[in-house]
Amino acid sequence: MSNKSKPPLTLSQSQEDYLKAMYLLAGCGGIVHVRDVAEKLDVKKPSVVAAVKNLADKGLITHERYGSLSLTNKGKIIAAEVCERHRVLFEFFNKVLGVDKETAEKDACLVEHYISPDTKRRLFKFIEFVHRFPSEEKDPRWLDHFRSYMATGRTDICAGTKEKTV
Amino acid sequence: MSNKSKPPLTLSQSQEDYLKAMYLLAGCGGIVHVRDVAEKLDVKKPSVVAAVKNLADKGLITHERYGSLSLTNKGKIIAAEVCERHRVLFEFFNKVLGVDKETAEKDACLVEHYISPDTKRRLFKFIEFVHRFPSEEKDPRWLDHFRSYMATGRTDICAGTKEKTV
DNA sequence: ACTAAAAGTTAGATATGTCTAACAAATCAA
DNA sequence: TTGATTTGTTAGACATATCTAACTTTTAGT
């Protein structure tokens, strides 16, 4: 029985970005090239090569010299988690807070690297909650109220319409 | 008329952390030492000295050799903004999502560096909204529903207990 | 099959931000 | 006031992550 406890495998923001880019570029079984990653992340190829070496050492991707890149199962799992964090944040910023898509996207791209699993989970639940109540069809009334509040800065919705007929 | 347009003055995460630490340590006119900052941020003194030089060059703090540190007005304004972002995020994570204080604190510390002004503003409004509706005394009903949903994963509040007796 | 273009790699520079070790200044205690 | 302790600084190492320039390998066109 090996007593070497594996290190917790934390990735830097940069490393998560590379992994996510490869994951998204790969799509369903597609082939990923250094070139594509460089383009997607707007960095030069040597930067990608360095990152690739890094992630390969961590067992998250495989790479044969002068060949193509692919994610290991472990890499896919982690990349999917990053994407999920991104999605949840984007939804919250855009759908709930009403941040425009472009800004929501940028914020999500940065913030996704830093929220804890618990916060992510709760945010996920929150969005689920928003989408389900009172029905999947329309936003809950309180969200409409919030939007009004954002727009007008006024608090007269509740005062006037206190007991709402749902 | 000088045609040198001033650069937009963006701070790195690290720089914001140093500025915030000094701001909080200074409190109301208190004196801040390199030592204190190092302790607060859990770094060594030479790291603080490097950061101090950096922030002083940007006109955010002043520092006389072997003496104490103080924030300029500009520095105070920026530090206050960072603190505000922190507060807003903490409140949201803790009060709305129900994340435990420690985690909410950690998440806020990281995320505070990355949310855009607009997202911060909306989050601020959101929290204000939560605190005001239906009254300043108690949480809005939908938030109770969300908590239930978090706890039970069930969607039967609206269906079964539509009009909840609080 | 050969050559030119494209893609990948290496080496080495730069920037940031951290550290340790050694040194300098200030403060404190006797 | 002087010597020890604390505090601040400098120099230099290291890690990460980026870049450019030069090189190698692969691919594609003819």
Side-chain angles (χ1 to χ4, degrees):
Chain A
M1 208 169 291
S2 147
N3 65 354
K4 76 165 128 178
S5 59
K6 57 187 165 188
L9 184 56
T10 55
L11 299 181
S12 67
Q13 165 168 355
S14 166
Q15 288 162 348
E16 282 187 354
D17 282 337
Y18 280 106
L19 198 62
K20 186 175 79 161
M22 289 176 208
Y23 181 73
L24 294 174
L25 285 166
C28 300
I31 288 173
V32 184
H33 298 276
V34 168
R35 177 66 204 265
D36 307 325
V37 178
E39 211 160 78
K40 174 132 191 155
L41 294 181
D42 197 27
V43 296
K44 303 301 178 186
K45 289 181 293 171
S47 306
V48 177
V49 172
V52 159
K53 195 174 299 178
N54 201 320
L55 293 170
D57 286 349
K58 291 190 158 74
L60 302 179
I61 62 177
T62 59
H63 174 229
E64 48 190 287
R65 221 148 179 286
Y66 294 103
S68 58
L69 306 162
S70 48
L71 281 75
T72 62
N73 282 338
K74 199 168 154 195
K76 279 180 197 161
I77 289 168
I78 294 179
E81 280 165 8
V82 177
C83 287
E84 171 70 0
R85 290 202 296 270
H86 181 96
R87 192 188 67 74
V88 163
L89 286 163
F90 175 81
E91 290 268 308
F92 174 71
F93 293 149
N94 181 246
K95 301 281 172 53
V96 180
L97 295 186
V99 176
D100 69 273
K101 285 189 181 181
E102 203 181 328
T103 306
E105 183 64 29
K106 275 191 234 161
D107 279 16
C109 264
L110 292 170
V111 171
E112 72 190 23
H113 305 293
Y114 301 107
I115 59 168
S116 64
D118 188 48
T119 300
K120 192 229 85 181
R121 186 179 63 81
R122 287 167 186 269
L123 209 47
F124 177 87
K125 284 287 179 191
F126 190 74
I127 287 162
E128 211 174 60
F129 176 75
V130 167
H131 284 163
R132 287 195 184 172
F133 294 82
S135 83
E136 321 236 344
E137 296 305 307
K138 58 188 195 307
D139 287 336
R141 186 165 309 252
W142 63 262
L143 188 49
D144 292 334
H145 289 175
F146 171 59
R147 289 193 182 116
S148 257
Y149 182 59
M150 276 297 304
T152 68
R154 305 265 241 61
T155 66
D156 50 16
I157 300 139
C158 257
T161 336
K162 179 147 29 168
E163 283 315 269
K164 208 74 235 316
T165 52
V166 177
Chain B
M1 202 170 293
S2 144
N3 66 355
K4 76 164 130 180
S5 58
K6 56 187 167 189
L9 184 55
T10 55
L11 299 180
S12 67
Q13 164 168 357
S14 166
Q15 288 162 346
E16 283 187 353
D17 282 336
Y18 280 107
L19 198 63
K20 185 175 80 163
M22 291 177 207
Y23 181 74
L24 294 175
L25 285 167
C28 301
I31 288 174
V32 184
H33 298 276
V34 168
R35 176 67 206 266
D36 306 325
V37 179
E39 210 161 78
K40 175 131 190 155
L41 294 180
D42 197 27
V43 296
K44 303 301 177 186
K45 289 181 292 171
S47 306
V48 177
V49 172
V52 159
K53 194 174 301 178
N54 202 320
L55 293 171
D57 285 349
K58 291 191 157 75
L60 303 179
I61 62 178
T62 59
H63 175 227
E64 49 190 286
R65 223 150 178 285
Y66 293 103
S68 58
L69 306 164
S70 48
L71 281 75
T72 62
N73 282 338
K74 199 168 153 195
K76 280 179 196 160
I77 289 168
I78 294 180
E81 279 166 7
V82 177
C83 287
E84 171 71 0
R85 291 202 296 269
H86 181 95
R87 192 188 67 74
V88 163
L89 286 163
F90 175 82
E91 290 268 308
F92 174 71
F93 292 150
N94 181 244
K95 301 280 171 53
V96 180
L97 295 187
V99 175
D100 69 275
K101 286 190 180 180
E102 203 180 328
T103 306
E105 182 64 29
K106 275 191 235 162
D107 279 14
C109 264
L110 292 171
V111 171
E112 72 191 21
H113 305 292
Y114 302 106
I115 59 168
S116 64
D118 188 48
T119 300
K120 192 228 87 182
R121 186 179 63 82
R122 287 167 185 269
L123 210 45
F124 177 87
K125 284 287 179 190
F126 189 73
I127 287 162
E128 210 173 61
F129 176 75
V130 167
H131 285 164
R132 287 195 184 171
F133 296 82
S135 82
E136 321 237 344
E137 297 304 307
K138 59 187 194 307
D139 287 336
R141 183 166 308 232
W142 63 263
L143 188 49
D144 292 333
H145 289 175
F146 172 58
R147 289 192 183 117
S148 256
Y149 182 59
M150 276 297 304
T152 66
R154 307 265 239 62
T155 67
D156 50 17
I157 301 140
C158 260
T161 337
K162 179 150 17 170
E163 287 312 273
K164 185 119 220 300
T165 52
V166 179

